[in-house]
Amino acid sequence: MKAMSAIALGALVLSPVAAIAADPPPGATSCSGCHGSNAAADSPIPKLHGRDAGETLAAMVAFRSGERPATVMDRIAKGFSDDETRLIADWLAAQK
Amino acid sequence: MPVTTPHSRRRFLRSSAALAAAAAFPLPALAQKAPRVLVIGGGFGGASVARELRNLDPKIHVTLIESNATFTACPFSNAVIGGLRDLKAQQFGYDKIRAGGVNVVNDTATAVNPASRTVRLGGITLPYDRLVLSPGIDIRWGALPGYEQAAAAKMPHAWRAGDQTTLLRNQLVAMEDGGVVVMSVPANPFRCPPGPYERASLIAHYLKTSKPKSKLIVLDAKDQFSKQRLFQSAWKELYPDHLEWVSLSAGGKVTSVDPATNTLSTDFGKHAAQVANVIPPQKAGRIAELAGVANQTGWCPIDPVTFESALVPGIHVVGDATIAGAMPKSAFSANAQAKVCAAAVAKLLTGAKPQEPRLINTCYSLVAPGYGISVAGVYAPAKDMLAEVKGSGGVSRLDAPADVRAAEAVYAEAWYRTITTEVFG
Ligand SMILES: Cc1cc2nc3c(=O)[nH]c(=O)nc-3n(C[C@H](O)[C@H](O)[C@H](O)COP(=O)(O)OP(=O)(O)OC[C@H]3O[C@@H](n4cnc5c(N)ncnc54)[C@H](O)[C@@H]3O)c2cc1C
């Protein structure tokens, strides 16, 4: 514990780390395992970074309800509530 | 220490003479211009942590220690064994990771001293503020009687991709038609739970299409396995004459092997094999044990929010080496855990509180070319474990039509391209 606070202090005093701009909400960094942040336009699994948040949210809600057919997204969308999904969609929309 | 810019520092650290000089004067954390994070293991977990840390905060000095100059990926290596893919498609270098500002040291870490917060490699010592281990697996040599290190040259495991993958492929190619291939599968836990069954499928596919009088016998130390109903229904349809799975209760547990005669023994009899693929019992990569972060199971208990070791403060562990509750040991998990761990480490270095994570895993398996299946899950911390979020996850539908299987095979390839680009590209 002592060592940890010394490091924290050292980091604060000597290396003011820039506040990490808008931390990704829980789960958001896992999406890029399949939806690459640099995915090519013709990638079978599309890029989500920069996509309109409303579109991502609507797709996730439809995957979860089963209204939109899916191979895997139904199983993934069920792991997130509406609020959690909205946060992810907003964060993804703000990424390049 | 003649260190000015991160760039000159990186070059400086690349020569081992300079490393030795740096080691002679290990600077205490407080005298550092920037926090230092060491990462041991440049596979799916470690390379992801190193990159993500640099992306989150370029001021953190990140050093990635990796034994091999070229990484050989296991996902899709079963397709190499089945003759559907070149091993070159599995190999990646570290140039892009270096270009991103990570100091990559091509050497093997041999000791960790948590008290002085230092790591030894090749006779030199490097200090850290936080250490991340993603060493993958080691084989428990001798845990299966007869399966010592030398046996792997005769009966390949091919559970760490590379020469072993090529050896198993070459043995299959050299085998005469009519030969018997025998595979031994261990009890849980082990790297890539569906991996043995994907491999069995693709070997059976090779036999069916190239050596139709031959057969694969899978001797299993379990009665249940990942995506079992999907695999078994596909086997019945595709490989009825080429693949026989023997469960634990049917006498499948291999109790010893003899490399001299290429024989695998169970309590019920002996199986002589033309080609023997022994997937042996495993444990966390040896450096985890040396660092004191592995417990009596051979694997590493961790905090599910930060991936910090439950045994040694200041050391984080991700990937196959961890005891991650419901999350399986996969490249997908290792990469997802790495991103969560990097975010937590960046927070901890500034004294901030890491946030509760949510993680995803998906493992695709090929049953045949153009025939993919998957298991997916969403995970959250629950007490000191990662538990599956209720209602999420599961496997591909058992009754899915052929076009869905074909789509999943395409998505599997897309996943592999995406993840290897995120990690190495
Ligand atoms: C046949 C097979 C098929 C698979 N298919 C899939 C799949 O389809 N999807 C999937 O998600 N996963 C798959 N996996 C699992 C996947 O390969 C592992 O889960 C993944 O590699 C784990 O990442 P890791 O970082 O823990 O370990 P690794 O990727 O193995 O990386 C560990 C690295 O650490 C290095 N290292 C270890 N100790 C030291 C040391 N002391 N000093 C320096 N370097 C060190 C090693 O050289 C290695 O490069 C498969 C595995 C197998 C065997």
Side-chain angles (χ1 to χ4, degrees), chain B residues 40-46 65-68 71 74-78 94 107-110 134-137 158-160 191-192 195 198-199 287 318-321 329-334 361-364 415:
Chain B
I40 300 178
F44 281 100
I65 302 165
E66 164 57 47
S67 303
N68 300 307
F71 179 74
C74 287
F76 275 88
S77 67
N78 287 330
Y94 292 90
D107 208 335
T108 298
T110 51
S134 190
I137 55 151
W159 219 242
R160 280 187 308 214
R191 153 177 285 182
C192 196
E198 178 188 64
R199 176 175 293 175
I287 193 70
V318 297
D320 286 357
K329 300 185 189 305
S330 71
F332 196 115
S333 292
N361 173 66
T362 304
C363 290
Y364 285 105
W415 164 76

Side-chain angles (χ1 to χ4, degrees), chain B residues 92-149:
Chain B
F92 303 89
Y94 292 90
D95 289 352
K96 296 275 178 52
I97 296 177
R98 280 201 176 91
V102 174
N103 172 37
V104 182
V105 178
N106 189 199
D107 208 335
T108 298
T110 51
V112 174
N113 184 336
S116 60
R117 296 208 172 201
T118 53
V119 168
R120 282 185 73 75
L121 56 150
I124 62 123
T125 307
L126 291 178
Y128 65 82
D129 297 318
R130 288 205 170 254
L131 172 66
V132 182
L133 301 185
S134 190
I137 55 151
D138 258 321
I139 308 293
R140 286 181 195 265
W141 299 112
L144 174 60
Y147 203 67
E148 304 291 345
Q149 204 149 353

Side-chain angles (χ1 to χ4, degrees), chain B residues 140-201:
Chain B
R140 286 181 195 265
W141 299 112
L144 174 60
Y147 203 67
E148 304 291 345
Q149 204 149 353
K154 188 86 188 294
M155 309 171 113
H157 54 78
W159 219 242
R160 280 187 308 214
D163 294 346
Q164 280 278 304
T165 313
T166 306
L167 178 61
L168 179 54
R169 172 67 195 153
N170 289 346
Q171 289 185 352
L172 289 168
V173 170
M175 185 182 79
E176 70 197 40
D177 193 5
V180 177
V181 183
V182 183
M183 176 189 292
S184 164
V185 185
N188 293 324
F190 60 94
R191 153 177 285 182
C192 196
Y197 313 98
E198 178 188 64
R199 176 175 293 175
S201 306

